[in-house]
Amino acid sequence: MPAEAGEPAAEPAGQRPAASNGAAPPNGAAPPSEAAAASGAAGLNGAAAPNGTAAQNGAAAHNGAAGRPAARSRRFPLITRDTARPEGGGRAAPGGAPAPARQWPLLVVVAGVVVGLLVVALDAFRAGTVLVGLSLLTGALLRWALPDVGMLAVRSRFTDLLTYGVLGSAIVLLSLMAQPDPWLEVPFLEDVVHFTVR
């Protein structure tokens, strides 16, 4: 229906920008500040602008043309803005607790390693390195048993268990087999040493 003199022409349905309160302006046109916000308000992912306006470049703002949510791209973003917390990387104590209490699993492992190194410095090599290895095995046990271990969680639970467990076991075994007078003797290792070194 043609517009009469003095009335603005009606726009097609769905192309008129919404006002800041969600209702259309009385004369059918958006104020300049809202029109500028509408032209750059919608982001690349098709989300609506904070003030309720939608992009005017013909793309659907939040819903697709048929009323379905717009599909999100599965590509990785070009710029990484944040890193994901590892599984189980939450606080090990309530948020109101002091910072050391929230990270007690990590502090237990670090304290065990420090005590082991001090024992090594006091000329008890074997006992100190066994203590270092047992501290890492304790870290693996804590990572497995507790749902949240704070900064003791570095990667996934499986990767952390594997890393702490293998390193702790290797340190304990090597310290038990260290010369002179090893506490643990593995028969085939003597043959390997004969074959490779001697």
Side-chain angles (χ1 to χ4, degrees):
M1 171 178 208
E4 297 181 15
E7 290 185 1
E11 294 181 18
Q15 291 187 5
R16 184 182 315 173
S20 61
N21 61 1
N27 62 359
S33 63
E34 290 183 14
S39 64
L44 294 176
N45 61 1
N51 61 0
T53 60
Q56 293 179 341
N57 57 4
H62 182 61
N63 294 332
R68 295 184 306 263
R72 297 188 64 171
S73 174
R74 294 177 60 181
R75 293 183 180 178
F76 289 107
L78 295 176
I79 300 172
T80 302
R81 303 197 183 279
D82 199 2
T83 55
R85 177 184 291 174
E87 173 194 3
R91 297 183 182 110
R102 294 193 303 260
Q103 299 298 333
W104 70 266
L106 177 68
L107 293 177
V108 166
V109 174
V110 170
V113 170
V114 169
V115 169
L117 292 176
L118 288 175
V119 171
V120 170
L122 296 174
D123 207 19
F125 164 75
R126 198 179 311 273
T129 51
V130 166
L131 189 55
V132 169
L134 289 178
S135 298
L136 290 175
L137 290 175
T138 301
L141 181 66
L142 290 173
R143 187 71 173 101
W144 174 73
L146 298 177
D148 292 316
V149 290
M151 290 193 301
L152 190 63
V154 180
R155 300 287 181 190
S156 68
R157 190 178 305 271
F158 174 77
T159 305
D160 288 344
L161 280 172
L162 190 67
T163 304
Y164 294 137
V166 168
L167 287 177
S169 301
I171 291 172
V172 169
L173 287 175
L174 288 175
S175 62
L176 292 178
M177 293 186 297
Q179 298 290 339
D181 301 323
W183 293 357
L184 177 67
E185 294 190 14
V186 181
F188 72 88
L189 284 180
E190 185 69 25
D191 298 333
V192 170
V193 171
H194 279 295
F195 180 74
T196 55
V197 178
R198 296 176 188 170

